[in-house]
Amino acid sequence: MTENRSTERHKRRRLLPAAMGAALLATTMTVVSVHAETGPEAEEEGNYQYTPVADTVRADNPELTQYETQFLDLYDKIKNPDSGYFREFDGLLVPYHSVENLIVEAPDTGHATTSEAYSYYLWLEAAYGRLSGDWEPFNSAWESMETFIIPGTEDQPTNDAYDPSDPATYIPESLEPGDYPMPLAEDVEVGEDPLADELSSTYGTDEIYGMHWLLDVDNIYGYGFCGDGSDDTPAYINTFQRGSNESVWETVPHPSCETFEHGGENGYLDLFVDDPEASEQWRYTNAPDADARAVQVAYLAQEWASEQGNESAISESVANASMMGDYLRYSMYDKYFKEIGDCVGADSCSPGTGKDSSHHLLAWYYSWGGALESAEYPWAWRIGGSSAHQGYQNVMAAYALSEGDMAPESPTGAEDWATSLDRQLEFLQWLQSSDGGIAGGATNSWEGAYNEPPADVSTFYGMFYDEKPVWHDPPSNQWFGFQVWDIERVAEYYRLTDDERAGEILDKWVPWALENTTVGTDGDFQVPADMEWSGQPDTWDGTSTGNPDLSVSVVSHDQDVGIAAGLAKTLLHYADATGDEAALETGEDLIDALMANEDDLGVAVPEVREDYERFDDPYDAPDGGLYVPEDFSGTMPNGDEINSDSTFQSIRSFYFDDPDYAQVEAYLDGGQAPEFTYHRFWAQVDVATALALHGELFGDSEE
């Protein structure tokens, strides 16, 4: 690891001369849209070179199992440029969120990408490295991540103006987008940042080494780098900014670098913050679960490479993962570094000193930002996250960074992660329902404004139980996927360490999941989709009570490909650790059912999208639509008007030209809900790594 990560390689993505844009685009693969029924139809033929590897690796490793050979075939499909999972920039691949462009979930277009997708890209290449012994693709994935989605030197200037004793100006949150913009509250005292000086002295830079969560890969919005409109590299953008009830349908995509070039008089700032002295600025938001997954995968890669005698091949990437984990500690802190526990009243909560503002959990986000270099008075800020969701916890990352030979270089990093490992396990014990499912989470700032919580709410180290932390539309703990993402990591940790605390959680969770999962014939399967919660956990006193007053009901099932694969991996880890035959059988059956749904692009099943009725919802629609204040008037880079009459689709007029939009339009005109077959990148990798995991743990048991 270099003393200062601000190397020429890391800066190069922002140092390309503007004149090189056309030449660079001529060498890139661009897939514009994929029809659910007919497969890829690219406007330009993909032209990055890829040589299939499955036959070569099989020939060199005749002992590979059936599932491992299936992994290699799926790997080739994912990496094939004609499939459309990646776009190339200067020899580096950037994964799309999905092959299909018209898809609306957390990202509002499939040709955006997320830090989540990048963490899965690493996982795909780590699994390939285990089978092939070739670690260059893994290193290339890390290089792409560092080049494109970890902000570089020119993306985050003015960090040297950051004052750890005054990390940010307090801005209260509101539950409703219609209450925004929210005012600055400069009279509210915030706590001290205990990490900044340690990290700066350890790594020789004031910059943050963490992923921003969202990129516009094809620059479809037109922001380019810092508002210049260039399209020679993915553009940092953001969407969610206005409270827990702001769904994706109510967001305004805006650039992470705000130059007032687009939007209204003050760019997009007037939609979010009431700041009479608004100035040009940059700001980024980290999704801690993605960075933690990257750390987890780097640990696995290190273990596999070491077994091959190839540890040195990925030592730089692993060292960078440890550094990422060091900065990820910002997610362990209250948003405004207030003391943890019984924090009520923004003026009353004590500002933190030292590490008493750390809850030791992975929060929903951490963020950082500052003035552009052109500012007369440079400034910078950082915030943590007050709310922790069970689905974001990652005991594998905590284990890797404390006990798993990936200790960060900072003086207190490994110690903090050791504390976090224990705290995360306690958190899951506290949140486990009497049925076995894991409830939502906890917050140190009720409703994002340190409000008074209900009188009878239970607590965890003084943090208040929250059934749906941060995200209410839809409720953040309604989706079964968050169960699987978290518990898979617990099961892997249990398999590696035999920690009884993890085993106790799994011994309740696995039977509940099995009871609500069915696998039929010819590729039919059903896994939990939506859940409803009742009651709350008992206040935590260090020992689980079994939470007799907290229960969960599975209210719907579906064929979510990625979650079925994640559930299969969870069951395989558990079966290997315990010998549980039912878990092994169901895990294998799920994998077989998934592979029965394989098509030319990967593994996918059709899905009906009734929620697409919200494409043209006005603000006063029953489910809520896009809110723009009456006094705001502006335009998107392509000229789409932003005003109080705007809707989700009116400021995304590019969708009108998408071949798949015809189905949406027919639905909005009174027809049937559209049906699409989506190939989400993360879901394909979950299937692929389930195949690889079975081979790793059970060898030829399937034959």
Side-chain angles (χ1 to χ4, degrees), residues 120 123 296 395-396 482-494 506 509 562 565-571 573 686 689-690 693:
Y120 274 98
W123 206 344
Q296 171 193 356
V395 294
M396 278 296 300
F482 277 137
Q483 300 285 312
V484 170
W485 280 355
D486 186 7
I487 298 301
E488 179 190 342
R489 300 185 278 255
V490 175
E492 184 171 52
Y493 170 76
Y494 181 50
L506 292 161
W509 190 91
L567 176 57
K569 288 190 286 184
T570 306
L571 297 175
H573 285 301
D686 252 338
T689 51
L693 179 66

PDB file of all heavy atoms in Angstrom, residues 120 123 296 395-396 482-494 506 509 562 565-571 573 686 689-690 693:
ATOM      1  N   TYR A 120     -20.291  -7.013  -5.737  1.00  0.00           N
ATOM      2  CA  TYR A 120     -20.589  -8.305  -6.344  1.00  0.00           C
ATOM      3  C   TYR A 120     -19.631  -8.619  -7.494  1.00  0.00           C
ATOM      4  O   TYR A 120     -19.299  -9.787  -7.739  1.00  0.00           O
ATOM      5  CB  TYR A 120     -22.039  -8.342  -6.818  1.00  0.00           C
ATOM      6  CG  TYR A 120     -23.000  -8.758  -5.729  1.00  0.00           C
ATOM      7  CD1 TYR A 120     -23.708  -7.814  -4.999  1.00  0.00           C
ATOM      8  CD2 TYR A 120     -23.189 -10.102  -5.419  1.00  0.00           C
ATOM      9  CE1 TYR A 120     -24.588  -8.194  -3.991  1.00  0.00           C
ATOM     10  CE2 TYR A 120     -24.064 -10.495  -4.420  1.00  0.00           C
ATOM     11  CZ  TYR A 120     -24.761  -9.531  -3.711  1.00  0.00           C
ATOM     12  OH  TYR A 120     -25.617  -9.924  -2.716  1.00  0.00           O
ATOM     13  N   TRP A 123     -16.794 -10.190  -5.966  1.00  0.00           N
ATOM     14  CA  TRP A 123     -17.134 -11.543  -5.526  1.00  0.00           C
ATOM     15  C   TRP A 123     -17.065 -12.525  -6.697  1.00  0.00           C
ATOM     16  O   TRP A 123     -16.555 -13.643  -6.575  1.00  0.00           O
ATOM     17  CB  TRP A 123     -18.535 -11.542  -4.923  1.00  0.00           C
ATOM     18  CG  TRP A 123     -18.784 -12.613  -3.913  1.00  0.00           C
ATOM     19  CD1 TRP A 123     -18.056 -13.746  -3.686  1.00  0.00           C
ATOM     20  CD2 TRP A 123     -19.862 -12.644  -2.968  1.00  0.00           C
ATOM     21  NE1 TRP A 123     -18.610 -14.489  -2.678  1.00  0.00           N
ATOM     22  CE2 TRP A 123     -19.721 -13.829  -2.223  1.00  0.00           C
ATOM     23  CE3 TRP A 123     -20.920 -11.789  -2.703  1.00  0.00           C
ATOM     24  CZ2 TRP A 123     -20.614 -14.187  -1.211  1.00  0.00           C
ATOM     25  CZ3 TRP A 123     -21.811 -12.134  -1.690  1.00  0.00           C
ATOM     26  CH2 TRP A 123     -21.658 -13.316  -0.949  1.00  0.00           C
ATOM     27  N   GLN A 296     -15.336  -8.234   2.955  1.00  0.00           N
ATOM     28  CA  GLN A 296     -15.620  -9.660   3.130  1.00  0.00           C
ATOM     29  C   GLN A 296     -15.044 -10.468   1.969  1.00  0.00           C
ATOM     30  O   GLN A 296     -14.384 -11.497   2.168  1.00  0.00           O
ATOM     31  CB  GLN A 296     -17.127  -9.874   3.222  1.00  0.00           C
ATOM     32  CG  GLN A 296     -17.580 -11.323   3.191  1.00  0.00           C
ATOM     33  CD  GLN A 296     -19.081 -11.452   2.963  1.00  0.00           C
ATOM     34  OE1 GLN A 296     -19.791 -10.443   2.902  1.00  0.00           O
ATOM     35  NE2 GLN A 296     -19.560 -12.665   2.838  1.00  0.00           N
ATOM     36  N   VAL A 395     -20.882  -9.428   9.882  1.00  0.00           N
ATOM     37  CA  VAL A 395     -19.937  -9.965  10.864  1.00  0.00           C
ATOM     38  C   VAL A 395     -18.698 -10.513  10.191  1.00  0.00           C
ATOM     39  O   VAL A 395     -17.630 -10.587  10.811  1.00  0.00           O
ATOM     40  CB  VAL A 395     -20.609 -11.045  11.747  1.00  0.00           C
ATOM     41  CG1 VAL A 395     -21.703 -10.436  12.610  1.00  0.00           C
ATOM     42  CG2 VAL A 395     -21.172 -12.197  10.902  1.00  0.00           C
ATOM     43  N   MET A 396     -18.791 -10.916   8.923  1.00  0.00           N
ATOM     44  CA  MET A 396     -17.605 -11.397   8.219  1.00  0.00           C
ATOM     45  C   MET A 396     -16.594 -10.272   8.026  1.00  0.00           C
ATOM     46  O   MET A 396     -15.383 -10.475   8.201  1.00  0.00           O
ATOM     47  CB  MET A 396     -18.002 -11.989   6.871  1.00  0.00           C
ATOM     48  CG  MET A 396     -18.497 -13.419   6.940  1.00  0.00           C
ATOM     49  SD  MET A 396     -17.222 -14.583   7.513  1.00  0.00           S
ATOM     50  CE  MET A 396     -15.952 -14.360   6.266  1.00  0.00           C
ATOM     51  N   PHE A 482     -33.224  -8.625   2.707  1.00  0.00           N
ATOM     52  CA  PHE A 482     -32.332  -8.145   3.761  1.00  0.00           C
ATOM     53  C   PHE A 482     -32.077  -9.217   4.813  1.00  0.00           C
ATOM     54  O   PHE A 482     -31.037  -9.205   5.483  1.00  0.00           O
ATOM     55  CB  PHE A 482     -32.903  -6.884   4.408  1.00  0.00           C
ATOM     56  CG  PHE A 482     -32.598  -5.622   3.652  1.00  0.00           C
ATOM     57  CD1 PHE A 482     -33.576  -4.660   3.455  1.00  0.00           C
ATOM     58  CD2 PHE A 482     -31.336  -5.380   3.148  1.00  0.00           C
ATOM     59  CE1 PHE A 482     -33.305  -3.484   2.762  1.00  0.00           C
ATOM     60  CE2 PHE A 482     -31.041  -4.215   2.454  1.00  0.00           C
ATOM     61  CZ  PHE A 482     -32.031  -3.258   2.256  1.00  0.00           C
ATOM     62  N   GLN A 483     -33.033 -10.116   4.995  1.00  0.00           N
ATOM     63  CA  GLN A 483     -32.797 -11.246   5.891  1.00  0.00           C
ATOM     64  C   GLN A 483     -31.637 -12.089   5.364  1.00  0.00           C
ATOM     65  O   GLN A 483     -30.696 -12.421   6.086  1.00  0.00           O
ATOM     66  CB  GLN A 483     -34.059 -12.102   5.997  1.00  0.00           C
ATOM     67  CG  GLN A 483     -35.290 -11.409   6.535  1.00  0.00           C
ATOM     68  CD  GLN A 483     -35.230 -11.202   8.027  1.00  0.00           C
ATOM     69  OE1 GLN A 483     -34.915 -12.123   8.777  1.00  0.00           O
ATOM     70  NE2 GLN A 483     -35.543 -10.003   8.464  1.00  0.00           N
ATOM     71  N   VAL A 484     -31.729 -12.436   4.089  1.00  0.00           N
ATOM     72  CA  VAL A 484     -30.749 -13.341   3.492  1.00  0.00           C
ATOM     73  C   VAL A 484     -29.368 -12.706   3.430  1.00  0.00           C
ATOM     74  O   VAL A 484     -28.360 -13.345   3.770  1.00  0.00           O
ATOM     75  CB  VAL A 484     -31.221 -13.774   2.093  1.00  0.00           C
ATOM     76  CG1 VAL A 484     -30.111 -14.517   1.348  1.00  0.00           C
ATOM     77  CG2 VAL A 484     -32.452 -14.660   2.211  1.00  0.00           C
ATOM     78  N   TRP A 485     -29.303 -11.450   2.986  1.00  0.00           N
ATOM     79  CA  TRP A 485     -27.989 -10.824   2.858  1.00  0.00           C
ATOM     80  C   TRP A 485     -27.242 -10.812   4.187  1.00  0.00           C
ATOM     81  O   TRP A 485     -26.032 -11.051   4.224  1.00  0.00           O
ATOM     82  CB  TRP A 485     -28.152  -9.400   2.339  1.00  0.00           C
ATOM     83  CG  TRP A 485     -28.364  -9.334   0.858  1.00  0.00           C
ATOM     84  CD1 TRP A 485     -28.330 -10.373  -0.027  1.00  0.00           C
ATOM     85  CD2 TRP A 485     -28.635  -8.164   0.089  1.00  0.00           C
ATOM     86  NE1 TRP A 485     -28.561  -9.919  -1.298  1.00  0.00           N
ATOM     87  CE2 TRP A 485     -28.756  -8.565  -1.264  1.00  0.00           C
ATOM     88  CE3 TRP A 485     -28.801  -6.823   0.408  1.00  0.00           C
ATOM     89  CZ2 TRP A 485     -29.017  -7.660  -2.297  1.00  0.00           C
ATOM     90  CZ3 TRP A 485     -29.069  -5.916  -0.615  1.00  0.00           C
ATOM     91  CH2 TRP A 485     -29.169  -6.342  -1.956  1.00  0.00           C
ATOM     92  N   ASP A 486     -27.930 -10.537   5.259  1.00  0.00           N
ATOM     93  CA  ASP A 486     -27.278 -10.493   6.568  1.00  0.00           C
ATOM     94  C   ASP A 486     -26.973 -11.896   7.084  1.00  0.00           C
ATOM     95  O   ASP A 486     -25.844 -12.207   7.487  1.00  0.00           O
ATOM     96  CB  ASP A 486     -28.169  -9.745   7.562  1.00  0.00           C
ATOM     97  CG  ASP A 486     -27.479  -9.533   8.903  1.00  0.00           C
ATOM     98  OD1 ASP A 486     -26.285  -9.841   9.022  1.00  0.00           O
ATOM     99  OD2 ASP A 486     -28.148  -9.050   9.831  1.00  0.00           O
ATOM    100  N   ILE A 487     -27.971 -12.768   7.062  1.00  0.00           N
ATOM    101  CA  ILE A 487     -27.796 -14.078   7.691  1.00  0.00           C
ATOM    102  C   ILE A 487     -26.849 -14.968   6.901  1.00  0.00           C
ATOM    103  O   ILE A 487     -26.188 -15.841   7.477  1.00  0.00           O
ATOM    104  CB  ILE A 487     -29.167 -14.752   7.898  1.00  0.00           C
ATOM    105  CG1 ILE A 487     -30.021 -13.892   8.846  1.00  0.00           C
ATOM    106  CG2 ILE A 487     -29.007 -16.142   8.500  1.00  0.00           C
ATOM    107  CD1 ILE A 487     -29.390 -13.661  10.214  1.00  0.00           C
ATOM    108  N   GLU A 488     -26.728 -14.764   5.614  1.00  0.00           N
ATOM    109  CA  GLU A 488     -25.706 -15.510   4.868  1.00  0.00           C
ATOM    110  C   GLU A 488     -24.317 -15.251   5.449  1.00  0.00           C
ATOM    111  O   GLU A 488     -23.503 -16.154   5.600  1.00  0.00           O
ATOM    112  CB  GLU A 488     -25.733 -15.125   3.388  1.00  0.00           C
ATOM    113  CG  GLU A 488     -24.676 -15.848   2.568  1.00  0.00           C
ATOM    114  CD  GLU A 488     -24.528 -15.324   1.160  1.00  0.00           C
ATOM    115  OE1 GLU A 488     -25.453 -14.638   0.676  1.00  0.00           O
ATOM    116  OE2 GLU A 488     -23.482 -15.595   0.533  1.00  0.00           O
ATOM    117  N   ARG A 489     -24.059 -13.995   5.798  1.00  0.00           N
ATOM    118  CA  ARG A 489     -22.757 -13.651   6.368  1.00  0.00           C
ATOM    119  C   ARG A 489     -22.595 -14.263   7.758  1.00  0.00           C
ATOM    120  O   ARG A 489     -21.494 -14.692   8.139  1.00  0.00           O
ATOM    121  CB  ARG A 489     -22.623 -12.128   6.407  1.00  0.00           C
ATOM    122  CG  ARG A 489     -22.723 -11.494   5.024  1.00  0.00           C
ATOM    123  CD  ARG A 489     -22.462 -10.015   5.035  1.00  0.00           C
ATOM    124  NE  ARG A 489     -23.585  -9.195   5.417  1.00  0.00           N
ATOM    125  CZ  ARG A 489     -24.321  -8.460   4.578  1.00  0.00           C
ATOM    126  NH1 ARG A 489     -24.067  -8.514   3.270  1.00  0.00           N
ATOM    127  NH2 ARG A 489     -25.302  -7.696   5.005  1.00  0.00           N
ATOM    128  N   VAL A 490     -23.687 -14.306   8.512  1.00  0.00           N
ATOM    129  CA  VAL A 490     -23.627 -14.945   9.832  1.00  0.00           C
ATOM    130  C   VAL A 490     -23.324 -16.427   9.680  1.00  0.00           C
ATOM    131  O   VAL A 490     -22.522 -17.003  10.434  1.00  0.00           O
ATOM    132  CB  VAL A 490     -24.954 -14.734  10.590  1.00  0.00           C
ATOM    133  CG1 VAL A 490     -24.950 -15.509  11.906  1.00  0.00           C
ATOM    134  CG2 VAL A 490     -25.198 -13.254  10.848  1.00  0.00           C
ATOM    135  N   ALA A 491     -23.956 -17.070   8.690  1.00  0.00           N
ATOM    136  CA  ALA A 491     -23.738 -18.499   8.482  1.00  0.00           C
ATOM    137  C   ALA A 491     -22.308 -18.777   8.041  1.00  0.00           C
ATOM    138  O   ALA A 491     -21.691 -19.775   8.474  1.00  0.00           O
ATOM    139  CB  ALA A 491     -24.731 -19.026   7.447  1.00  0.00           C
ATOM    140  N   GLU A 492     -21.762 -17.934   7.192  1.00  0.00           N
ATOM    141  CA  GLU A 492     -20.374 -18.113   6.770  1.00  0.00           C
ATOM    142  C   GLU A 492     -19.431 -17.929   7.951  1.00  0.00           C
ATOM    143  O   GLU A 492     -18.482 -18.719   8.141  1.00  0.00           O
ATOM    144  CB  GLU A 492     -20.037 -17.127   5.659  1.00  0.00           C
ATOM    145  CG  GLU A 492     -18.648 -17.305   5.089  1.00  0.00           C
ATOM    146  CD  GLU A 492     -18.433 -16.459   3.855  1.00  0.00           C
ATOM    147  OE1 GLU A 492     -18.702 -15.234   3.917  1.00  0.00           O
ATOM    148  OE2 GLU A 492     -17.992 -17.006   2.828  1.00  0.00           O
ATOM    149  N   TYR A 493     -19.696 -16.922   8.743  1.00  0.00           N
ATOM    150  CA  TYR A 493     -18.886 -16.687   9.943  1.00  0.00           C
ATOM    151  C   TYR A 493     -18.972 -17.880  10.895  1.00  0.00           C
ATOM    152  O   TYR A 493     -17.952 -18.319  11.454  1.00  0.00           O
ATOM    153  CB  TYR A 493     -19.375 -15.401  10.623  1.00  0.00           C
ATOM    154  CG  TYR A 493     -18.809 -15.162  11.992  1.00  0.00           C
ATOM    155  CD1 TYR A 493     -17.501 -14.719  12.164  1.00  0.00           C
ATOM    156  CD2 TYR A 493     -19.586 -15.372  13.138  1.00  0.00           C
ATOM    157  CE1 TYR A 493     -16.975 -14.492  13.440  1.00  0.00           C
ATOM    158  CE2 TYR A 493     -19.078 -15.145  14.403  1.00  0.00           C
ATOM    159  CZ  TYR A 493     -17.771 -14.713  14.542  1.00  0.00           C
ATOM    160  OH  TYR A 493     -17.264 -14.500  15.799  1.00  0.00           O
ATOM    161  N   TYR A 494     -20.149 -18.415  11.070  1.00  0.00           N
ATOM    162  CA  TYR A 494     -20.329 -19.581  11.955  1.00  0.00           C
ATOM    163  C   TYR A 494     -19.551 -20.776  11.427  1.00  0.00           C
ATOM    164  O   TYR A 494     -18.892 -21.495  12.198  1.00  0.00           O
ATOM    165  CB  TYR A 494     -21.812 -19.910  12.056  1.00  0.00           C
ATOM    166  CG  TYR A 494     -22.138 -21.072  12.968  1.00  0.00           C
ATOM    167  CD1 TYR A 494     -21.632 -21.136  14.265  1.00  0.00           C
ATOM    168  CD2 TYR A 494     -22.965 -22.111  12.532  1.00  0.00           C
ATOM    169  CE1 TYR A 494     -21.940 -22.197  15.106  1.00  0.00           C
ATOM    170  CE2 TYR A 494     -23.281 -23.167  13.365  1.00  0.00           C
ATOM    171  CZ  TYR A 494     -22.758 -23.213  14.650  1.00  0.00           C
ATOM    172  OH  TYR A 494     -23.062 -24.263  15.480  1.00  0.00           O
ATOM    173  N   LEU A 506     -28.721 -18.785  14.040  1.00  0.00           N
ATOM    174  CA  LEU A 506     -29.029 -19.618  12.882  1.00  0.00           C
ATOM    175  C   LEU A 506     -29.965 -20.768  13.226  1.00  0.00           C
ATOM    176  O   LEU A 506     -30.811 -21.155  12.406  1.00  0.00           O
ATOM    177  CB  LEU A 506     -27.734 -20.158  12.280  1.00  0.00           C
ATOM    178  CG  LEU A 506     -26.834 -19.114  11.618  1.00  0.00           C
ATOM    179  CD1 LEU A 506     -25.418 -19.650  11.472  1.00  0.00           C
ATOM    180  CD2 LEU A 506     -27.393 -18.722  10.259  1.00  0.00           C
ATOM    181  N   TRP A 509     -33.255 -19.186  12.915  1.00  0.00           N
ATOM    182  CA  TRP A 509     -33.570 -18.570  11.629  1.00  0.00           C
ATOM    183  C   TRP A 509     -33.747 -19.608  10.522  1.00  0.00           C
ATOM    184  O   TRP A 509     -34.683 -19.505   9.707  1.00  0.00           O
ATOM    185  CB  TRP A 509     -32.477 -17.581  11.241  1.00  0.00           C
ATOM    186  CG  TRP A 509     -32.822 -16.714  10.064  1.00  0.00           C
ATOM    187  CD1 TRP A 509     -33.422 -15.488  10.096  1.00  0.00           C
ATOM    188  CD2 TRP A 509     -32.607 -17.007   8.676  1.00  0.00           C
ATOM    189  NE1 TRP A 509     -33.583 -14.996   8.817  1.00  0.00           N
ATOM    190  CE2 TRP A 509     -33.094 -15.914   7.918  1.00  0.00           C
ATOM    191  CE3 TRP A 509     -32.043 -18.088   7.993  1.00  0.00           C
ATOM    192  CZ2 TRP A 509     -33.033 -15.874   6.531  1.00  0.00           C
ATOM    193  CZ3 TRP A 509     -31.985 -18.051   6.596  1.00  0.00           C
ATOM    194  CH2 TRP A 509     -32.474 -16.962   5.883  1.00  0.00           C
ATOM    195  N   GLY A 562     -31.907 -13.677  -7.215  1.00  0.00           N
ATOM    196  CA  GLY A 562     -30.758 -13.382  -6.371  1.00  0.00           C
ATOM    197  C   GLY A 562     -30.961 -13.808  -4.936  1.00  0.00           C
ATOM    198  O   GLY A 562     -30.045 -14.345  -4.301  1.00  0.00           O
ATOM    199  N   ALA A 565     -30.753 -17.539  -4.525  1.00  0.00           N
ATOM    200  CA  ALA A 565     -29.353 -17.964  -4.532  1.00  0.00           C
ATOM    201  C   ALA A 565     -28.677 -17.635  -3.209  1.00  0.00           C
ATOM    202  O   ALA A 565     -27.902 -18.441  -2.670  1.00  0.00           O
ATOM    203  CB  ALA A 565     -28.617 -17.296  -5.688  1.00  0.00           C
ATOM    204  N   GLY A 566     -28.955 -16.439  -2.663  1.00  0.00           N
ATOM    205  CA  GLY A 566     -28.386 -16.086  -1.363  1.00  0.00           C
ATOM    206  C   GLY A 566     -28.878 -17.006  -0.264  1.00  0.00           C
ATOM    207  O   GLY A 566     -28.123 -17.386   0.640  1.00  0.00           O
ATOM    208  N   LEU A 567     -30.163 -17.382  -0.326  1.00  0.00           N
ATOM    209  CA  LEU A 567     -30.704 -18.327   0.650  1.00  0.00           C
ATOM    210  C   LEU A 567     -30.017 -19.672   0.503  1.00  0.00           C
ATOM    211  O   LEU A 567     -29.678 -20.325   1.512  1.00  0.00           O
ATOM    212  CB  LEU A 567     -32.211 -18.466   0.457  1.00  0.00           C
ATOM    213  CG  LEU A 567     -32.926 -19.492   1.343  1.00  0.00           C
ATOM    214  CD1 LEU A 567     -32.696 -19.206   2.824  1.00  0.00           C
ATOM    215  CD2 LEU A 567     -34.422 -19.516   1.028  1.00  0.00           C
ATOM    216  N   ALA A 568     -29.795 -20.112  -0.731  1.00  0.00           N
ATOM    217  CA  ALA A 568     -29.093 -21.382  -0.947  1.00  0.00           C
ATOM    218  C   ALA A 568     -27.704 -21.343  -0.316  1.00  0.00           C
ATOM    219  O   ALA A 568     -27.284 -22.303   0.349  1.00  0.00           O
ATOM    220  CB  ALA A 568     -28.991 -21.681  -2.441  1.00  0.00           C
ATOM    221  N   LYS A 569     -26.985 -20.244  -0.492  1.00  0.00           N
ATOM    222  CA  LYS A 569     -25.649 -20.137   0.109  1.00  0.00           C
ATOM    223  C   LYS A 569     -25.722 -20.174   1.626  1.00  0.00           C
ATOM    224  O   LYS A 569     -24.883 -20.806   2.291  1.00  0.00           O
ATOM    225  CB  LYS A 569     -24.961 -18.857  -0.370  1.00  0.00           C
ATOM    226  CG  LYS A 569     -24.511 -18.910  -1.817  1.00  0.00           C
ATOM    227  CD  LYS A 569     -23.632 -17.735  -2.187  1.00  0.00           C
ATOM    228  CE  LYS A 569     -24.407 -16.463  -2.344  1.00  0.00           C
ATOM    229  NZ  LYS A 569     -23.547 -15.339  -2.799  1.00  0.00           N
ATOM    230  N   THR A 570     -26.713 -19.496   2.181  1.00  0.00           N
ATOM    231  CA  THR A 570     -26.894 -19.512   3.638  1.00  0.00           C
ATOM    232  C   THR A 570     -27.084 -20.945   4.134  1.00  0.00           C
ATOM    233  O   THR A 570     -26.455 -21.369   5.113  1.00  0.00           O
ATOM    234  CB  THR A 570     -28.114 -18.661   4.030  1.00  0.00           C
ATOM    235  OG1 THR A 570     -27.979 -17.352   3.487  1.00  0.00           O
ATOM    236  CG2 THR A 570     -28.258 -18.577   5.539  1.00  0.00           C
ATOM    237  N   LEU A 571     -27.932 -21.673   3.453  1.00  0.00           N
ATOM    238  CA  LEU A 571     -28.216 -23.054   3.859  1.00  0.00           C
ATOM    239  C   LEU A 571     -27.000 -23.952   3.680  1.00  0.00           C
ATOM    240  O   LEU A 571     -26.756 -24.851   4.498  1.00  0.00           O
ATOM    241  CB  LEU A 571     -29.397 -23.585   3.054  1.00  0.00           C
ATOM    242  CG  LEU A 571     -30.731 -22.839   3.270  1.00  0.00           C
ATOM    243  CD1 LEU A 571     -31.803 -23.374   2.324  1.00  0.00           C
ATOM    244  CD2 LEU A 571     -31.189 -22.942   4.723  1.00  0.00           C
ATOM    245  N   HIS A 573     -23.782 -23.010   3.883  1.00  0.00           N
ATOM    246  CA  HIS A 573     -22.867 -22.713   4.995  1.00  0.00           C
ATOM    247  C   HIS A 573     -23.337 -23.403   6.273  1.00  0.00           C
ATOM    248  O   HIS A 573     -22.537 -24.020   6.996  1.00  0.00           O
ATOM    249  CB  HIS A 573     -22.801 -21.195   5.232  1.00  0.00           C
ATOM    250  CG  HIS A 573     -21.996 -20.438   4.228  1.00  0.00           C
ATOM    251  ND1 HIS A 573     -20.667 -20.692   3.989  1.00  0.00           N
ATOM    252  CD2 HIS A 573     -22.338 -19.392   3.412  1.00  0.00           C
ATOM    253  CE1 HIS A 573     -20.216 -19.841   3.066  1.00  0.00           C
ATOM    254  NE2 HIS A 573     -21.207 -19.052   2.701  1.00  0.00           N
ATOM    255  N   ASP A 686     -24.909 -13.718  -7.473  1.00  0.00           N
ATOM    256  CA  ASP A 686     -25.350 -14.559  -6.366  1.00  0.00           C
ATOM    257  C   ASP A 686     -25.572 -16.000  -6.826  1.00  0.00           C
ATOM    258  O   ASP A 686     -25.222 -16.948  -6.125  1.00  0.00           O
ATOM    259  CB  ASP A 686     -26.633 -13.992  -5.742  1.00  0.00           C
ATOM    260  CG  ASP A 686     -26.388 -13.375  -4.374  1.00  0.00           C
ATOM    261  OD1 ASP A 686     -25.370 -13.731  -3.737  1.00  0.00           O
ATOM    262  OD2 ASP A 686     -27.189 -12.542  -3.934  1.00  0.00           O
ATOM    263  N   THR A 689     -22.024 -17.537  -7.537  1.00  0.00           N
ATOM    264  CA  THR A 689     -21.249 -17.849  -6.334  1.00  0.00           C
ATOM    265  C   THR A 689     -21.907 -18.951  -5.507  1.00  0.00           C
ATOM    266  O   THR A 689     -21.221 -19.641  -4.746  1.00  0.00           O
ATOM    267  CB  THR A 689     -21.035 -16.586  -5.482  1.00  0.00           C
ATOM    268  OG1 THR A 689     -22.288 -15.919  -5.261  1.00  0.00           O
ATOM    269  CG2 THR A 689     -20.079 -15.628  -6.186  1.00  0.00           C
ATOM    270  N   ALA A 690     -23.210 -19.154  -5.661  1.00  0.00           N
ATOM    271  CA  ALA A 690     -23.844 -20.321  -5.022  1.00  0.00           C
ATOM    272  C   ALA A 690     -23.328 -21.604  -5.650  1.00  0.00           C
ATOM    273  O   ALA A 690     -23.043 -22.587  -4.955  1.00  0.00           O
ATOM    274  CB  ALA A 690     -25.364 -20.233  -5.159  1.00  0.00           C
ATOM    275  N   LEU A 693     -19.767 -22.046  -4.408  1.00  0.00           N
ATOM    276  CA  LEU A 693     -19.709 -22.405  -2.992  1.00  0.00           C
ATOM    277  C   LEU A 693     -20.014 -23.881  -2.783  1.00  0.00           C
ATOM    278  O   LEU A 693     -19.370 -24.545  -1.962  1.00  0.00           O
ATOM    279  CB  LEU A 693     -20.685 -21.546  -2.195  1.00  0.00           C
ATOM    280  CG  LEU A 693     -20.747 -21.840  -0.690  1.00  0.00           C
ATOM    281  CD1 LEU A 693     -19.423 -21.493  -0.018  1.00  0.00           C
ATOM    282  CD2 LEU A 693     -21.904 -21.080  -0.035  1.00  0.00           C
TER     283      LEU A 693
END
